[in-house]
Amino acid sequence: ASPDEVERLITNVIEQEIREVDGIKTVNSNSYEGLSSIGVQLDPDQTTDTKAKSDIQDIIDRLTSLPEAAKKPVVTTLETKQ
């Protein structure tokens, strides 16, 4: 799929849903040919990595509007030093 299709059919759908997770400070995304990448920055005063990852995974597991040909999204945690 083209980057525009990936953005419209996958990235925007996921991004809209995960914005509802408590403790997310910012959401950044990139759409490439056949690939969507979405990163979130958490507010450590409002949530933990474990809780946010679990909440996001729950949302991903409930999504039914992604294209059939799309692979299941993978949720991972990355730590950065401030």
Side-chain angles (χ1 to χ4, degrees):
S2 72
D4 288 339
E5 289 174 310
V6 170
E7 181 174 11
R8 183 171 42 85
L9 299 173
I10 298 173
T11 306
N12 289 345
V13 172
I14 295 173
E15 199 173 320
Q16 182 177 3
E17 293 295 324
I18 65 174
R19 285 184 185 278
E20 302 302 316
V21 173
D22 290 336
I24 290 183
K25 200 175 192 180
T26 61
V27 178
N28 297 301
S29 63
N30 292 294
S31 299
Y32 307 97
E33 187 162 333
L35 176 69
S36 173
S37 174
I38 303 171
V40 298
Q41 182 181 12
L42 304 177
D43 181 340
D45 294 330
Q46 293 186 14
T47 193
T48 64
D49 291 350
T50 304
K51 172 79 170 111
K53 183 178 178 184
S54 175
D55 290 348
I56 292 169
Q57 187 66 61
D58 289 346
I59 288 169
I60 296 298
D61 291 343
R62 288 193 315 262
L63 283 176
T64 59
S65 58
L66 297 180
E68 283 187 31
K71 291 182 181 176
K72 182 177 175 166
V74 176
V75 179
T76 60
T77 305
L78 299 174
E79 287 191 36
T80 59
K81 297 199 186 241
Q82 296 285 335

